[in-house]
Amino acid sequence: MTDKIGLIGGTGPLGQGLALRWSFAGEPIIMGSRQQEKADRIAGEINTRLNTDLIQPMTNEECIQEAEIVLISTPFNFMIQTIEPLIPYLSEEKILVDVTVPLKPFAKGKMVDILSHDDLRALSATELLRKTIPQQVPVVGAFKTLSNSTLREIDRLPVLEQDVFIFSKDKAAKNKVKEKAVKIKNLRPVDAGGTLSARHVERFTAFLIGLNRRYKTHDSGIKVSGLPKREW
Ligand SMILES: NC(=O)c1ccc[n+]([C@@H]2O[C@H](COP(=O)([O-])OP(=O)(O)OC[C@H]3O[C@@H](n4cnc5c(N)ncnc54)[C@H](OP(=O)(O)O)[C@@H]3O)[C@@H](O)[C@H]2O)c1
């Protein structure tokens, strides 16, 4: 067992952005995909860009076995069907991190919103994942308000002055995810409480995408004011 981060569906824009930032900080990453060749290609591109070999390409199935902190970074609609066959590889030693945002398909000029509760079968994606995964496996929600393009544009935006909201009822798991989050320069971890906070945080993301569209940017993010300085 390692303390490596694995990204299931890590070949997408968010997975690429996180892999880039973490490997830039010297953190080894496993990039998972349904197709080994796709993971090889995309991991290879980022490794070449950073002149490193820290991103290891694997299938999703290998990724979940090798990594200790496993981010599920598929589109929300495929999260449960992707993770269910992989449940036998999970244990209390691993941490499953939900980064998904259950957005309604959005059309030009229409408000960006999250899926309704009926579609979701829970009140948020993280709660749905929590209901699906055996209770002994820690589930954390995090990284939901970070924009993939902001993460990927490391030359233009070397420092991210943003908050990352991390939530779970499992404090030890939350701490481990926080330790990884702070490797990304200037990201401030915010202890966002338990899994129920996903109901708010997933809505923040819909709101940020709406702001991005209005201001013709991809860079909006959140920094909460007034939080006292403390260990977290
Ligand atoms: N993009 C952002 O800025 C952002 C920000 C915050 C949160 N999020 C959330 O993070 C997650 C990933 O975002 P993304 O933009 O990177 O998503 P994406 O490009 O749509 O999908 C990510 C990866 O998921 C895999 N995938 C696609 N369809 C699948 C299917 N039917 N079954 C299983 N795997 C499938 C693909 O990997 P393979 O083909 O290699 O298997 C794909 O590269 C989403 O849930 C999104 O809501 C995104």
Side-chain angles (χ1 to χ4, degrees):
M1 180 83 63
T2 68
D3 74 339
K4 267 189 198 163
I5 302 167
L7 300 162
I8 291 184
T11 55
L14 185 71
Q16 288 182 39
L18 288 169
L20 176 82
R21 293 280 172 169
W22 269 318
S23 55
F24 183 73
E27 191 70 24
I29 296 293
I30 300 169
M31 178 177 278
S33 170
R34 290 167 296 174
Q35 302 164 58
Q36 181 69 50
E37 305 72 37
K38 186 173 174 185
D40 289 345
R41 177 173 54 80
I42 293 174
E45 284 168 9
I46 303 175
N47 280 333
T48 303
R49 180 173 168 191
L50 295 183
N51 192 22
T52 176
D53 58 1
L54 284 169
I55 306 176
Q56 254 182 299
M58 290 190 187
T59 61
N60 286 333
E61 200 173 39
E62 291 166 336
C63 172
I64 202 163
Q65 291 175 74
E66 287 294 316
E68 184 193 27
I69 299 177
V70 181
L71 275 66
I72 173 116
S73 185
T74 64
F76 166 75
N77 288 338
F78 306 111
M79 169 178 75
I80 298 299
Q81 74 184 53
T82 301
I83 202 67
E84 268 176 345
L86 303 175
I87 286 176
Y89 300 119
L90 290 168
S91 69
E92 63 266 37
E93 309 293 324
K94 306 236 181 199
I95 298 170
L96 194 57
V97 184
D98 169 40
V99 306
T100 69
V101 181
L103 291 176
K104 278 185 190 160
F106 48 93
K108 199 165 184 254
K110 298 276 185 221
M111 183 182 159
V112 183
D113 202 356
I114 63 164
L115 285 168
S116 69
H117 301 157
D118 291 345
D119 297 335
L120 218 50
R121 287 168 283 130
L123 294 178
S124 66
T126 310
E127 288 167 276
L128 179 61
L129 188 66
R130 178 65 286 175
K131 276 169 66 176
T132 308
I133 299 300
Q135 282 307 308
Q136 70 272 22
V137 180
V139 169
V140 175
F143 308 110
K144 291 186 187 240
T145 56
L146 302 184
S147 140
N148 78 83
S149 26
T150 308
L151 287 166
R152 286 186 294 156
E153 293 205 33
I154 201 164
D155 298 327
R156 184 173 64 87
L157 297 164
V159 169
L160 295 182
E161 293 286 357
Q162 291 190 22
D163 286 340
V164 55
F165 301 106
I166 306 176
F167 37 93
S168 175
K169 76 163 193 206
D170 186 319
K171 286 193 178 148
K174 214 161 42 170
N175 261 320
K176 279 200 167 177
V177 175
K178 177 203 107 176
E179 281 162 23
K180 296 299 183 187
V182 296
K183 302 261 164 115
I184 298 177
K185 201 164 182 217
N186 281 36
L187 266 193
R188 181 178 69 166
V190 173
D191 178 354
T195 313
L196 299 194
S197 293
R199 298 177 191 183
H200 304 300
V201 176
E202 290 168 13
R203 286 190 174 276
F204 292 167
T205 307
F207 179 65
L208 290 172
I209 296 170
L211 288 181
N212 282 344
R213 291 191 340 169
R214 199 161 302 114
Y215 281 81
K216 300 198 185 335
T217 178
H218 296 286
D219 293 340
S220 70
I222 296 181
K223 181 111 191 184
V224 177
S225 64
L227 290 180
K229 270 208 161 77
R230 57 173 228 206
E231 197 35 47
W232 244 71

